[in-house]
Amino acid sequence: MSRRSGILEFAVLGLLRESPMHGYELRKRLNTSLGVFRAFSYGTLYPCLKALVANGWLIEETDGAPEAVPAAALTGRRAKIVYRLTAAGKEHFEELLAHSGPDAWEDEHFGVRFAFFGQTSRDVRMRVLEGRRSRLEERLERMRTSLARSRERLDDYTLELQRHGMESVEREVRWLNELIEGERAGRDQRAPDPAAQDSKHQSGDTGGLPRHRGGSRPDPSDDTTT
């Protein structure tokens, strides 16, 4: 399976986990919610849907009817097909959510993975965010080295373009730093220091969560998606 088809499979399963959809509605959600899929077509989506149905991760239903429809109906126009996630599909999506390897840090994959962070465990979110930050810091260092070596040979416009690219990476690194700090703050709230808790108990102070620098941020995992 190619990287492109793999991330499309992940996105389709994630959207259908929220609710069943027609193919048109699914394509629209992929276009509008996940920018990496803005240019893809039905010719890309429907083979993916067929493969997911064949694997038992999706079932096809006619609009308003619970029974499954043959896969051949995918290309027909006589009835609207609704795609619904199966129990096996949910389990497979959970496995994909738990993945936090280098693929999840890449430019194309990271945005899609981030779109489903509300359904992702805190530990996995942290690994993906830290991996993405590390990847961008490496890229930024290469860009700086390249610019230092070639500065004298570049015209003003090419130089500005390279600076613009560096600034974009620097902004994302700052954004990632804020997200990582927020995740750590939330984790600290969930797992306070046992020694500090003992001290509070002995002094009679049992109320409130431990404070941290910068104030508290809402914990994304408190809003559980079912």
Side-chain angles (χ1 to χ4, degrees):
M1 178 182 296
S2 69
R3 288 186 176 185
R4 178 75 173 185
S5 62
I7 198 62
L8 177 58
E9 172 188 297
F10 174 82
V12 167
L13 292 173
L15 290 175
L16 292 177
R17 187 174 188 259
E18 299 173 3
S19 65
M21 297 184 199
H22 300 294
Y24 174 79
E25 182 183 6
L26 183 59
R27 180 174 179 264
K28 185 176 180 181
R29 287 288 306 277
L30 287 166
N31 284 339
T32 57
S33 302
L34 306 175
V36 69
F37 299 114
R38 286 188 184 125
F40 92 119
S41 65
Y42 284 112
T44 302
L45 175 60
Y46 280 104
C48 175
L49 291 171
K50 287 182 180 180
L52 294 175
V53 170
N55 285 330
W57 296 329
L58 300 182
I59 60 171
E60 303 164 286
E61 301 172 347
T62 52
D63 197 4
E67 68 274 6
V69 176
L74 275 166
T75 57
R77 297 184 179 181
R78 289 174 296 179
K80 289 186 177 180
I81 304 299
V82 176
Y83 298 93
R84 183 184 301 275
L85 204 61
T86 64
K90 291 178 182 178
E91 183 177 350
H92 180 59
F93 181 65
E94 293 293 337
E95 293 173 356
L96 295 176
L97 275 180
H99 174 68
S100 57
D103 280 357
W105 314 339
E106 299 296 339
D107 292 348
E108 186 174 89
H109 288 208
F110 175 73
V112 179
R113 287 300 304 266
F114 190 82
F116 294 100
F117 261 25
Q119 304 177 45
T120 306
S121 70
R122 184 189 304 279
D123 289 345
V124 174
R125 292 198 304 262
M126 282 292 290
R127 288 196 295 271
V128 173
L129 289 172
E130 290 175 341
R132 175 65 175 173
R133 180 177 64 180
S134 177
R135 180 63 50 85
L136 289 182
E137 287 175 339
E138 292 172 0
R139 182 184 302 172
L140 190 58
E141 184 60 29
R142 290 195 301 269
M143 294 172 75
R144 286 170 175 162
T145 300
S146 175
L147 183 60
R149 290 175 178 174
S150 59
R151 181 187 299 271
E152 298 302 325
R153 301 193 302 271
L154 299 177
D155 62 65
D156 291 343
Y157 295 102
T158 304
L159 187 61
E160 281 303 312
L161 184 62
Q162 293 206 10
R163 285 174 176 167
H164 174 69
M166 287 177 55
E167 289 171 359
S168 297
V169 176
E170 289 169 344
R171 282 195 299 271
E172 186 171 349
V173 170
R174 289 194 296 269
W175 174 67
L176 289 166
N177 285 335
E178 293 174 0
L179 290 171
I180 290 168
E181 181 64 26
E183 292 288 346
R184 287 174 177 164
R187 182 175 59 192
D188 291 344
Q189 288 182 348
R190 291 293 182 87
D193 181 16
Q197 290 297 97
D198 290 343
S199 175
K200 286 184 178 183
H201 179 72
Q202 292 171 3
S203 65
D205 180 9
T206 59
L209 291 168
R211 297 182 180 275
H212 56 86
R213 291 182 296 108
S216 61
R217 291 177 57 146
D219 179 4
S221 65
D222 286 342
D223 295 328
T224 305
T225 303
T226 57

